[in-house]
Amino acid sequence: MRNSIAVMNTKGGVGKSTIVLALAETLAAYHGKNVLVIDSDSQASVSSMLMTPASLHQLQNAGLTLVDFLVSTVLNNTLVDWSQFVVRGVSDVDDARSVFLFPSDMQLTLFEREVSRESLHARLRASIRRLLNDVRPIFDVVLIDCPPGLSVLTESWLREADFHISPTKPDYVSSCGLEVFRRFKALNPEMGFAENLGVLINMKDRSSLVDDEYHRWLQENPDNRCFSQFVPRVNALQNAARFSTIERSYQAKYPGEAGQTVRGFTEEVLARLAAANVHPREAPSAAADETEAAPVRR
Ligand SMILES: Nc1ncnc2c1ncn2[C@@H]1O[C@H](COP(=O)(O)OP(=O)(O)OP(=O)(O)O)[C@@H](O)[C@H]1O
Ligand SMILES: [Mg+2]
Protein backbone atom coordinates (compact mmCIF):
# COMPACT_ATOMS: atom_id res chain seq x y z
CA MET A 1 0.00 0.00 0.00
CA ARG A 2 1.37 3.41 -0.99
CA ASN A 3 0.34 5.46 2.00
CA SER A 4 3.18 7.85 2.93
CA ILE A 5 2.46 11.54 2.33
CA ALA A 6 4.92 14.43 2.70
CA VAL A 7 3.06 17.67 3.46
CA MET A 8 5.12 20.31 1.79
CA ASN A 9 5.24 23.84 0.41
CA THR A 10 8.52 25.75 0.17
CA LYS A 11 6.62 28.77 1.55
CA GLY A 12 6.33 29.02 5.33
CA GLY A 13 3.16 29.69 7.32
CA VAL A 14 0.69 28.23 4.83
CA GLY A 15 -0.74 25.76 7.36
CA LYS A 16 1.31 22.61 6.71
CA SER A 17 1.52 21.61 10.38
CA THR A 18 -2.10 22.58 11.10
CA ILE A 19 -3.29 20.46 8.18
CA VAL A 20 -1.15 17.49 9.25
CA LEU A 21 -2.71 17.75 12.72
CA ALA A 22 -6.30 18.08 11.47
CA LEU A 23 -5.90 15.34 8.86
CA ALA A 24 -4.34 12.92 11.37
CA GLU A 25 -7.03 13.54 13.99
CA THR A 26 -9.86 13.26 11.45
CA LEU A 27 -8.45 10.05 9.97
CA ALA A 28 -8.25 8.59 13.48
CA ALA A 29 -11.53 9.90 14.93
CA TYR A 30 -13.77 9.54 11.86
CA HIS A 31 -12.22 6.71 9.87
CA GLY A 32 -10.59 4.60 12.58
CA LYS A 33 -7.20 4.81 10.90
CA ASN A 34 -3.83 4.26 12.54
CA VAL A 35 -1.85 7.36 11.61
CA LEU A 36 1.85 7.98 12.07
CA VAL A 37 2.86 11.66 12.10
CA ILE A 38 6.57 12.19 11.45
CA ASP A 39 7.67 15.66 12.56
CA SER A 40 10.53 16.60 10.26
CA ASP A 41 10.62 20.27 11.25
CA SER A 42 13.23 21.49 13.77
CA GLN A 43 10.59 23.95 15.06
CA ALA A 44 8.75 20.82 16.31
CA SER A 45 5.41 22.54 15.62
CA VAL A 46 3.28 19.48 15.11
CA SER A 47 4.98 17.73 18.07
CA SER A 48 3.91 20.57 20.32
CA MET A 49 0.39 20.45 18.84
CA LEU A 50 0.17 16.78 19.83
CA MET A 51 1.66 16.74 23.34
CA THR A 52 2.47 18.98 26.30
CA PRO A 53 5.76 20.94 26.30
CA ALA A 54 6.84 18.95 29.37
CA SER A 55 6.33 15.57 27.64
CA LEU A 56 8.11 16.80 24.53
CA HIS A 57 11.10 18.08 26.54
CA GLN A 58 11.27 14.77 28.34
CA LEU A 59 11.52 12.87 25.05
CA GLN A 60 14.07 15.34 23.71
CA ASN A 61 16.20 15.02 26.85
CA ALA A 62 15.94 11.24 26.73
CA GLY A 63 17.22 11.17 23.13
CA LEU A 64 13.97 9.79 21.73
CA THR A 65 13.28 11.99 18.73
CA LEU A 66 13.70 11.86 14.96
CA VAL A 67 17.09 13.56 15.38
CA ASP A 68 18.35 10.77 17.61
CA PHE A 69 17.07 8.15 15.18
CA LEU A 70 18.81 9.90 12.28
CA VAL A 71 22.06 10.51 14.17
CA SER A 72 22.26 6.78 14.93
CA THR A 73 21.35 5.53 11.47
CA VAL A 74 23.08 8.17 9.35
CA LEU A 75 25.98 9.76 11.28
CA ASN A 76 26.87 6.65 13.33
CA ASN A 77 25.79 4.18 10.65
CA THR A 78 24.13 1.84 13.16
CA LEU A 79 20.81 0.05 12.88
CA VAL A 80 18.24 1.07 15.49
CA ASP A 81 14.66 0.05 16.10
CA TRP A 82 12.46 2.94 14.85
CA SER A 83 9.54 1.87 17.06
CA GLN A 84 11.28 3.03 20.25
CA PHE A 85 11.05 6.62 18.93
CA VAL A 86 7.32 6.51 18.21
CA VAL A 87 4.93 7.81 20.87
CA ARG A 88 1.46 6.30 20.98
CA GLY A 89 -1.81 7.90 22.06
CA VAL A 90 -0.83 11.49 21.36
CA SER A 91 -3.52 14.11 20.50
CA ASP A 92 -5.94 15.80 22.88
CA VAL A 93 -9.01 14.51 20.99
CA ASP A 94 -10.65 11.72 22.96
CA ASP A 95 -11.75 9.88 19.81
CA ALA A 96 -8.36 10.12 18.10
CA ARG A 97 -6.45 7.54 20.11
CA SER A 98 -4.77 6.01 17.06
CA VAL A 99 -2.49 8.94 16.25
CA PHE A 100 1.21 8.11 16.73
CA LEU A 101 4.08 10.61 16.68
CA PHE A 102 7.75 10.55 15.72
CA PRO A 103 8.67 13.79 17.54
CA SER A 104 11.24 16.38 16.51
CA ASP A 105 13.91 18.51 18.12
CA MET A 106 15.74 21.79 17.39
CA GLN A 107 18.96 19.80 16.89
CA LEU A 108 17.64 18.68 13.51
CA THR A 109 19.31 21.70 11.90
CA LEU A 110 22.72 20.67 13.29
CA PHE A 111 22.18 17.12 12.07
CA GLU A 112 21.48 18.39 8.55
CA ARG A 113 24.63 20.50 8.65
CA GLU A 114 26.66 17.37 9.48
CA VAL A 115 25.04 15.45 6.63
CA SER A 116 26.07 18.18 4.19
CA ARG A 117 29.56 18.60 5.69
CA GLU A 118 30.29 14.88 5.53
CA SER A 119 28.41 14.35 2.24
CA LEU A 120 26.17 11.69 3.75
CA HIS A 121 23.17 12.40 1.49
CA ALA A 122 23.01 8.86 0.12
CA ARG A 123 23.09 7.35 3.59
CA LEU A 124 20.37 9.76 4.74
CA ARG A 125 18.18 8.80 1.84
CA ALA A 126 18.75 5.10 2.49
CA SER A 127 17.79 5.57 6.15
CA ILE A 128 14.57 7.38 5.18
CA ARG A 129 13.77 4.68 2.62
CA ARG A 130 14.24 1.92 5.22
CA LEU A 131 12.11 3.77 7.75
CA LEU A 132 9.24 4.32 5.29
CA ASN A 133 9.43 0.70 4.14
CA ASP A 134 9.18 -0.39 7.76
CA VAL A 135 6.23 1.82 8.74
CA ARG A 136 4.15 1.54 5.55
CA PRO A 137 2.67 -1.87 6.36
CA ILE A 138 2.08 -1.03 10.04
CA PHE A 139 0.16 2.24 9.75
CA ASP A 140 -2.80 3.07 7.52
CA VAL A 141 -1.44 6.51 6.70
CA VAL A 142 1.98 8.10 7.32
CA LEU A 143 2.08 11.92 7.31
CA ILE A 144 5.39 13.79 7.20
CA ASP A 145 5.30 17.40 8.34
CA CYS A 146 8.04 19.16 6.37
CA PRO A 147 9.55 22.54 7.23
CA PRO A 148 9.44 25.36 4.66
CA GLY A 149 12.37 25.49 2.24
CA LEU A 150 14.16 22.54 0.66
CA SER A 151 16.61 21.01 3.10
CA VAL A 152 18.57 17.79 2.51
CA LEU A 153 16.19 15.97 4.83
CA THR A 154 13.08 17.34 3.10
CA GLU A 155 14.53 16.28 -0.25
CA SER A 156 14.95 12.73 1.08
CA TRP A 157 11.31 12.57 2.21
CA LEU A 158 10.14 13.94 -1.12
CA ARG A 159 12.15 11.38 -3.06
CA GLU A 160 11.13 8.42 -0.88
CA ALA A 161 7.52 9.15 0.14
CA ASP A 162 4.71 7.94 -2.09
CA PHE A 163 2.82 11.25 -2.29
CA HIS A 164 2.97 14.90 -1.43
CA ILE A 165 0.19 17.29 -0.47
CA SER A 166 0.85 21.02 -0.69
CA PRO A 167 -1.27 23.37 1.39
CA THR A 168 -1.21 26.90 0.05
CA LYS A 169 -2.83 30.18 0.86
CA PRO A 170 -4.62 31.63 -2.15
CA ASP A 171 -2.11 34.46 -2.55
CA TYR A 172 0.83 35.44 -4.70
CA VAL A 173 3.74 34.46 -2.43
CA SER A 174 2.33 31.05 -1.48
CA SER A 175 1.65 30.29 -5.15
CA CYS A 176 5.30 31.19 -5.88
CA GLY A 177 6.25 28.62 -3.23
CA LEU A 178 4.34 26.01 -5.24
CA GLU A 179 6.09 27.07 -8.42
CA VAL A 180 9.56 26.72 -6.84
CA PHE A 181 8.51 23.30 -5.59
CA ARG A 182 7.34 22.27 -9.06
CA ARG A 183 10.64 23.35 -10.63
CA PHE A 184 12.56 21.45 -7.99
CA LYS A 185 10.51 18.33 -8.75
CA ALA A 186 11.34 18.63 -12.44
CA LEU A 187 15.10 18.56 -11.74
CA ASN A 188 16.83 15.14 -11.81
CA PRO A 189 13.72 13.06 -12.63
CA GLU A 190 15.91 9.94 -12.55
CA MET A 191 16.26 10.37 -8.77
CA GLY A 192 12.57 9.64 -8.15
CA PHE A 193 9.94 11.84 -6.53
CA ALA A 194 6.67 11.57 -4.64
CA GLU A 195 3.48 11.83 -6.68
CA ASN A 196 1.29 14.90 -6.27
CA LEU A 197 -1.80 13.87 -4.29
CA GLY A 198 -3.11 17.42 -4.46
CA VAL A 199 -2.88 21.08 -3.55
CA LEU A 200 -5.08 22.24 -0.67
CA ILE A 201 -6.25 25.83 -0.59
CA ASN A 202 -6.00 26.81 3.06
CA MET A 203 -6.83 29.94 5.05
CA LYS A 204 -9.11 31.27 2.34
CA ASP A 205 -10.93 34.42 3.33
CA ARG A 206 -14.46 33.95 1.99
CA SER A 207 -15.06 37.68 1.69
CA SER A 208 -11.88 38.40 -0.31
CA LEU A 209 -12.18 38.79 -4.08
CA VAL A 210 -8.41 38.43 -4.42
CA ASP A 211 -8.52 35.08 -2.57
CA ASP A 212 -11.31 34.02 -4.94
CA GLU A 213 -9.28 34.97 -7.95
CA TYR A 214 -6.20 33.07 -6.75
CA HIS A 215 -8.34 30.08 -5.81
CA ARG A 216 -9.74 29.93 -9.35
CA TRP A 217 -6.33 30.40 -10.90
CA LEU A 218 -4.80 27.58 -8.83
CA GLN A 219 -7.76 25.32 -9.64
CA GLU A 220 -7.44 25.93 -13.37
CA ASN A 221 -3.96 24.41 -13.48
CA PRO A 222 -4.54 20.64 -13.75
CA ASP A 223 -1.02 19.93 -12.48
CA ASN A 224 -2.06 21.28 -9.08
CA ARG A 225 -4.83 18.67 -8.72
CA CYS A 226 -6.50 21.05 -6.26
CA PHE A 227 -8.76 19.33 -3.77
CA SER A 228 -12.30 20.51 -4.43
CA GLN A 229 -12.69 21.12 -0.70
CA PHE A 230 -10.84 24.21 0.49
CA VAL A 231 -10.26 25.14 4.13
CA PRO A 232 -11.29 28.65 5.15
CA ARG A 233 -9.50 30.86 7.66
CA VAL A 234 -11.36 30.06 10.89
CA ASN A 235 -10.51 30.65 14.54
CA ALA A 236 -11.07 27.01 15.46
CA LEU A 237 -8.17 25.91 13.25
CA GLN A 238 -5.91 28.59 14.66
CA ASN A 239 -6.83 27.44 18.17
CA ALA A 240 -6.36 23.76 17.26
CA ALA A 241 -2.60 24.33 17.45
CA ARG A 242 -2.82 24.82 21.20
CA PHE A 243 -2.59 21.42 22.89
CA SER A 244 -5.25 21.04 25.59
CA THR A 245 -4.26 19.15 28.73
CA ILE A 246 -7.93 18.21 29.15
CA GLU A 247 -9.13 15.79 26.48
CA ARG A 248 -11.89 17.17 24.27
CA SER A 249 -14.28 15.76 21.72
CA TYR A 250 -13.57 16.07 18.00
CA GLN A 251 -16.60 18.38 17.70
CA ALA A 252 -15.29 20.65 20.44
CA LYS A 253 -11.92 21.00 18.72
CA TYR A 254 -13.26 21.23 15.16
CA PRO A 255 -16.73 22.79 15.46
CA GLY A 256 -19.00 23.75 12.55
CA GLU A 257 -17.28 24.85 9.37
CA ALA A 258 -13.80 23.89 10.61
CA GLY A 259 -14.86 20.27 11.09
CA GLN A 260 -16.98 20.10 7.94
CA THR A 261 -14.20 21.35 5.67
CA VAL A 262 -11.47 19.26 7.28
CA ARG A 263 -13.67 16.15 7.00
CA GLY A 264 -14.46 16.94 3.35
CA PHE A 265 -10.74 17.28 2.63
CA THR A 266 -9.94 14.04 4.52
CA GLU A 267 -12.52 12.11 2.49
CA GLU A 268 -10.93 13.34 -0.73
CA VAL A 269 -7.49 12.33 0.53
CA LEU A 270 -8.76 8.81 1.27
CA ALA A 271 -10.47 8.58 -2.13
CA ARG A 272 -7.32 9.71 -3.94
CA LEU A 273 -5.16 7.30 -1.96
CA ALA A 274 -7.51 4.45 -2.85
CA ALA A 275 -7.53 5.43 -6.52
CA ALA A 276 -3.75 5.84 -6.64
CA ASN A 277 -3.30 2.36 -5.22
CA VAL A 278 -5.43 0.91 -7.99
CA HIS A 279 -4.25 2.95 -10.96
CA PRO A 280 -0.67 3.39 -12.17
CA ARG A 281 1.36 6.54 -11.42
CA GLU A 282 0.22 9.83 -12.99
CA ALA A 283 1.80 10.82 -16.29
CA PRO A 284 3.38 14.29 -16.27
CA SER A 285 0.92 16.75 -17.81
CA ALA A 286 1.86 18.96 -20.72
CA ALA A 287 -0.45 21.64 -19.33
CA ALA A 288 2.25 23.05 -17.02
CA ASP A 289 3.83 25.10 -19.80
CA GLU A 290 0.48 26.50 -20.84
CA THR A 291 -0.43 27.80 -17.40
CA GLU A 292 -1.41 31.45 -17.34
CA ALA A 293 0.46 33.94 -15.21
CA ALA A 294 -0.76 34.66 -11.67
CA PRO A 295 -3.71 37.08 -11.62
CA VAL A 296 -2.08 39.58 -9.27
CA ARG A 297 1.57 40.47 -9.31
CA ARG A 298 3.78 42.12 -6.73
N1 LIG B 1 -7.41 27.37 8.15
C1 LIG B 1 -6.83 28.14 9.09
N2 LIG B 1 -7.54 29.11 9.72
C2 LIG B 1 -6.97 29.91 10.65
N3 LIG B 1 -5.69 29.83 11.02
C3 LIG B 1 -4.93 28.89 10.42
C4 LIG B 1 -5.45 27.99 9.46
N4 LIG B 1 -4.45 27.17 9.04
C5 LIG B 1 -3.36 27.53 9.73
N5 LIG B 1 -3.64 28.56 10.56
C6 LIG B 1 -2.72 29.30 11.45
O1 LIG B 1 -1.69 29.86 10.60
C7 LIG B 1 -0.44 29.83 11.26
C8 LIG B 1 0.55 29.02 10.42
O2 LIG B 1 0.12 27.68 10.39
P1 LIG B 1 1.15 26.47 10.43
O3 LIG B 1 2.14 26.63 11.54
O4 LIG B 1 0.35 25.24 10.40
O5 LIG B 1 1.88 26.72 9.03
P2 LIG B 1 3.17 25.99 8.46
O6 LIG B 1 3.06 26.03 6.99
O7 LIG B 1 3.32 24.66 9.08
O8 LIG B 1 4.31 26.96 8.97
P3 LIG B 1 5.90 26.65 8.85
O9 LIG B 1 6.25 26.87 7.43
O10 LIG B 1 6.51 27.66 9.79
O11 LIG B 1 6.12 25.24 9.28
C9 LIG B 1 -0.69 29.22 12.64
O12 LIG B 1 -0.88 30.28 13.54
C10 LIG B 1 -1.98 28.43 12.45
O13 LIG B 1 -2.71 28.33 13.66
MG1 LIG C 1 4.94 23.84 10.09
Side-chain angles (χ1 to χ4, degrees), residues 242-290:
R242 210 173 313 130
F243 183 83
S244 163
T245 48
I246 301 165
E247 280 195 355
R248 43 186 165 172
S249 67
Y250 180 92
Q251 273 74 16
K253 186 163 183 175
Y254 299 102
E257 197 182 18
Q260 271 163 26
T261 53
V262 165
R263 288 196 297 279
F265 163 62
T266 304
E267 273 163 28
E268 278 189 74
V269 168
L270 284 173
R272 288 187 185 193
L273 276 179
N277 276 288
V278 174
H279 301 300
R281 271 178 82 93
E282 64 176 2
S285 159
D289 297 339
E290 294 156 18

XYZ file of all heavy atoms in Angstrom, residues 242-290:
375
model
N -3.133 24.795 19.762
C -2.822 24.825 21.202
C -3.251 23.508 21.855
O -4.446 23.221 21.949
C -3.524 26.021 21.856
C -2.733 26.544 23.052
C -3.313 27.819 23.622
N -3.645 28.837 22.624
C -4.819 29.460 22.572
N -5.779 29.160 23.409
N -5.026 30.396 21.664
N -2.283 22.708 22.294
C -2.594 21.419 22.894
C -3.349 21.630 24.203
O -2.937 22.429 25.048
C -1.302 20.636 23.150
C -1.534 19.259 23.696
C -1.831 18.205 22.847
C -1.464 19.015 25.054
C -2.052 16.923 23.346
C -1.687 17.739 25.569
C -1.985 16.699 24.700
N -4.460 20.910 24.360
C -5.246 21.043 25.590
C -4.899 19.889 26.535
O -4.884 18.729 26.123
C -6.737 21.008 25.228
O -7.489 20.737 26.379
N -4.618 20.216 27.786
C -4.257 19.149 28.729
C -5.498 18.352 29.146
O -5.389 17.250 29.659
C -3.573 19.733 29.988
O -4.358 20.828 30.438
C -2.161 20.180 29.681
N -6.684 18.950 28.880
C -7.931 18.211 29.146
C -8.437 17.678 27.810
O -8.616 18.456 26.861
C -8.991 19.138 29.788
C -8.434 19.706 31.090
C -10.309 18.399 30.006
C -9.221 20.874 31.618
N -8.650 16.379 27.737
C -9.131 15.793 26.477
C -10.448 16.428 26.062
O -11.275 16.766 26.908
C -9.322 14.285 26.632
C -8.027 13.528 26.520
C -8.254 12.041 26.320
O -9.409 11.584 26.356
O -7.247 11.340 26.121
N -10.631 16.583 24.752
C -11.887 17.171 24.268
C -12.428 16.307 23.140
O -11.689 15.498 22.564
C -11.651 18.611 23.801
C -10.373 18.784 22.976
C -10.114 20.243 22.674
N -8.742 20.450 22.197
C -8.297 21.589 21.714
N -9.082 22.642 21.644
N -7.049 21.722 21.301
N -13.692 16.544 22.805
C -14.277 15.760 21.719
C -13.798 16.365 20.394
O -13.354 17.513 20.340
C -15.801 15.817 21.785
O -16.222 17.139 21.513
N -13.924 15.574 19.338
C -13.566 16.070 18.003
C -14.402 17.314 17.675
O -13.896 18.313 17.178
C -13.801 14.956 16.969
C -13.462 15.370 15.556
C -12.201 15.156 15.020
C -14.420 16.014 14.757
C -11.892 15.562 13.734
C -14.124 16.418 13.468
C -12.858 16.188 12.960
O -12.560 16.598 11.686
N -15.701 17.249 18.007
C -16.599 18.379 17.698
C -16.198 19.642 18.457
O -16.357 20.737 17.956
C -18.059 18.036 18.026
C -18.800 17.338 16.904
C -18.371 15.885 16.764
O -17.755 15.336 17.673
N -18.676 15.274 15.633
N -15.689 19.466 19.670
C -15.292 20.653 20.437
C -14.052 21.289 19.824
O -13.910 22.508 19.809
C -15.014 20.256 21.888
N -13.163 20.462 19.308
C -11.923 21.001 18.724
C -12.155 21.532 17.310
O -11.548 22.521 16.910
C -10.853 19.901 18.705
C -9.484 20.401 18.255
C -8.370 19.432 18.618
C -7.009 19.959 18.234
N -5.921 19.082 18.679
N -13.007 20.834 16.561
C -13.261 21.233 15.164
C -14.757 21.481 14.984
O -15.451 20.691 14.319
C -12.792 20.137 14.207
C -11.307 19.843 14.296
C -10.828 18.729 14.985
C -10.376 20.694 13.701
C -9.467 18.466 15.071
C -9.014 20.442 13.788
C -8.575 19.325 14.476
O -7.223 19.071 14.569
N -15.273 22.560 15.554
C -16.728 22.791 15.458
C -17.126 23.318 14.069
O -16.297 23.900 13.360
C -16.965 23.869 16.526
C -15.664 24.599 16.619
C -14.572 23.614 16.292
N -18.387 23.121 13.735
C -19.000 23.749 12.553
C -18.191 23.622 11.287
O -17.795 22.527 10.869
N -17.923 24.785 10.681
C -17.275 24.850 9.374
C -15.860 24.247 9.403
O -15.426 23.627 8.425
C -17.206 26.333 8.971
C -16.938 26.534 7.525
C -16.816 28.010 7.173
O -16.614 28.852 8.066
O -16.910 28.301 5.966
N -15.158 24.432 10.518
C -13.796 23.885 10.612
C -13.853 22.370 10.427
O -13.131 21.793 9.601
C -13.176 24.239 11.965
N -14.736 21.725 11.173
C -14.856 20.272 11.093
C -15.368 19.805 9.737
O -14.852 18.843 9.163
N -16.397 20.518 9.237
C -16.979 20.103 7.944
C -15.939 20.131 6.832
O -15.829 19.200 6.031
C -18.082 21.079 7.537
C -19.443 20.735 8.057
C -20.361 21.947 7.961
O -20.155 22.823 7.117
N -21.336 22.011 8.828
N -15.157 21.223 6.779
C -14.204 21.353 5.671
C -13.044 20.374 5.832
O -12.598 19.782 4.855
C -13.695 22.810 5.547
O -13.189 23.232 6.821
C -14.792 23.747 5.116
N -12.586 20.198 7.056
C -11.474 19.264 7.283
C -11.925 17.833 6.958
O -11.183 17.052 6.360
C -10.948 19.394 8.733
C -10.065 18.220 9.090
C -10.185 20.698 8.903
N -13.170 17.500 7.306
C -13.667 16.150 7.003
C -13.840 15.963 5.487
O -13.541 14.904 4.945
C -14.985 15.877 7.731
C -14.791 15.676 9.228
C -15.999 15.029 9.874
N -17.199 15.836 9.773
C -17.490 16.859 10.576
N -16.668 17.195 11.545
N -18.598 17.552 10.422
N -14.308 17.010 4.814
C -14.458 16.942 3.348
C -13.101 16.699 2.696
O -12.958 15.843 1.804
N -12.099 17.432 3.157
C -10.738 17.275 2.627
C -10.219 15.856 2.917
O -9.663 15.184 2.033
C -9.842 18.353 3.260
C -8.377 18.094 3.150
C -7.751 18.010 1.909
C -7.583 17.954 4.291
C -6.384 17.766 1.811
C -6.231 17.716 4.203
C -5.625 17.615 2.964
N -10.436 15.381 4.136
C -9.943 14.043 4.522
C -10.568 12.962 3.637
O -9.880 12.022 3.212
C -10.282 13.773 6.014
O -9.717 14.820 6.790
C -9.727 12.433 6.477
N -11.866 13.106 3.355
C -12.519 12.109 2.491
C -11.907 12.085 1.101
O -11.695 11.036 0.505
C -14.025 12.380 2.422
C -14.728 11.693 3.579
C -16.119 12.225 3.846
O -16.763 12.710 2.901
O -16.552 12.144 5.018
N -11.578 13.291 0.598
C -10.934 13.341 -0.726
C -9.551 12.698 -0.686
O -9.141 12.026 -1.633
C -10.796 14.790 -1.183
C -12.056 15.343 -1.798
C -11.802 16.708 -2.422
O -11.177 16.784 -3.482
O -12.216 17.711 -1.799
N -8.821 12.932 0.413
C -7.486 12.326 0.535
C -7.618 10.799 0.492
O -6.899 10.122 -0.248
C -6.781 12.779 1.845
C -5.531 11.941 2.117
C -6.413 14.258 1.767
N -8.586 10.266 1.244
C -8.764 8.808 1.272
C -9.160 8.279 -0.115
O -8.664 7.229 -0.551
C -9.820 8.426 2.313
C -9.342 8.490 3.770
C -10.509 8.271 4.733
C -8.238 7.457 4.036
N -10.030 9.021 -0.800
C -10.471 8.582 -2.133
C -9.286 8.599 -3.106
O -9.104 7.674 -3.909
C -11.584 9.483 -2.641
N -8.464 9.639 -3.021
C -7.318 9.714 -3.944
C -6.271 8.647 -3.624
O -5.638 8.101 -4.527
C -6.702 11.116 -3.905
C -7.598 12.142 -4.574
C -6.931 13.504 -4.691
N -7.884 14.469 -5.237
C -7.571 15.662 -5.695
N -6.302 16.061 -5.670
N -8.497 16.469 -6.171
N -6.108 8.364 -2.334
C -5.158 7.298 -1.958
C -5.642 5.961 -2.515
O -4.858 5.184 -3.072
C -5.054 7.179 -0.433
C -4.105 8.124 0.303
C -4.169 7.853 1.801
C -2.674 7.981 -0.191
N -6.951 5.724 -2.362
C -7.511 4.454 -2.849
C -7.340 4.357 -4.361
O -6.913 3.322 -4.887
C -8.978 4.354 -2.454
N -7.638 5.452 -5.053
C -7.526 5.434 -6.518
C -6.073 5.250 -6.951
O -5.785 4.500 -7.882
C -8.088 6.736 -7.096
N -5.163 5.912 -6.252
C -3.745 5.841 -6.640
C -3.179 4.452 -6.390
O -2.206 4.052 -7.026
C -2.930 6.879 -5.872
N -3.790 3.711 -5.481
C -3.296 2.363 -5.215
C -3.883 1.335 -6.174
O -3.458 0.194 -6.204
C -3.555 1.974 -3.757
C -2.457 2.509 -2.846
O -1.340 2.018 -2.858
N -2.762 3.562 -2.092
N -4.857 1.792 -6.980
C -5.429 0.905 -7.992
C -4.823 1.211 -9.355
O -4.422 0.338 -10.104
C -6.967 1.083 -8.061
C -7.539 0.262 -9.211
C -7.606 0.693 -6.748
N -4.736 2.533 -9.643
C -4.253 2.953 -10.964
C -2.745 3.189 -10.937
O -2.178 3.462 -9.888
C -4.954 4.244 -11.384
C -6.444 4.076 -11.450
N -7.039 3.170 -12.284
C -7.443 4.668 -10.750
C -8.355 3.217 -12.097
N -8.621 4.115 -11.170
N -2.106 3.116 -12.109
C -0.669 3.388 -12.167
C -0.352 4.853 -11.878
O -1.252 5.692 -11.829
C -0.295 3.034 -13.612
C -1.569 3.048 -14.372
C -2.660 2.748 -13.407
N 0.935 5.174 -11.721
C 1.363 6.542 -11.425
C 0.891 7.520 -12.474
O 0.768 7.173 -13.642
C 2.900 6.598 -11.371
C 3.461 6.311 -10.024
C 4.960 6.350 -10.110
N 5.452 7.719 -10.036
C 5.813 8.306 -8.897
N 5.728 7.660 -7.772
N 6.265 9.542 -8.889
N 0.646 8.776 -12.061
C 0.223 9.828 -12.987
C 1.303 10.074 -14.042
O 2.497 9.962 -13.766
C -0.003 11.124 -12.208
C 1.282 11.634 -11.569
C 1.091 12.975 -10.864
O -0.026 13.482 -10.842
O 2.098 13.488 -10.354
N 0.843 10.406 -15.268
C 1.803 10.820 -16.293
C 1.986 12.311 -16.160
O 1.024 13.029 -15.881
C 1.248 10.483 -17.662
N 3.203 12.848 -16.368
C 3.376 14.289 -16.269
C 2.502 14.996 -17.295
O 2.396 14.540 -18.432
C 4.861 14.517 -16.566
C 5.487 13.173 -16.660
C 4.414 12.147 -16.739
N 1.828 16.061 -16.895
C 0.919 16.748 -17.805
C 1.650 17.806 -18.601
O 2.545 18.472 -18.102
C -0.197 17.391 -16.992
O -0.785 18.409 -17.721
N 1.245 17.946 -19.868
C 1.862 18.961 -20.720
C 1.301 20.327 -20.404
O 1.789 21.343 -20.879
C 1.594 18.626 -22.184
N 0.238 20.366 -19.574
C -0.448 21.639 -19.329
C 0.396 22.627 -18.544
O 0.123 23.821 -18.558
C -1.745 21.385 -18.579
N 1.463 22.155 -17.871
C 2.252 23.045 -17.022
C 2.769 24.251 -17.796
O 2.738 25.375 -17.317
C 3.409 22.291 -16.408
N 3.226 24.007 -19.027
C 3.829 25.097 -19.799
C 2.784 26.087 -20.277
O 3.087 27.201 -20.652
C 4.548 24.527 -21.027
C 5.683 23.630 -20.576
O 6.130 23.791 -19.427
O 6.090 22.774 -21.379
N 1.516 25.630 -20.292
C 0.476 26.501 -20.838
C -0.220 27.310 -19.757
O -1.127 28.086 -20.020
C -0.588 25.635 -21.532
C -0.040 24.924 -22.760
C -0.852 23.677 -23.075
O -1.983 23.571 -22.589
O -0.339 22.811 -23.795
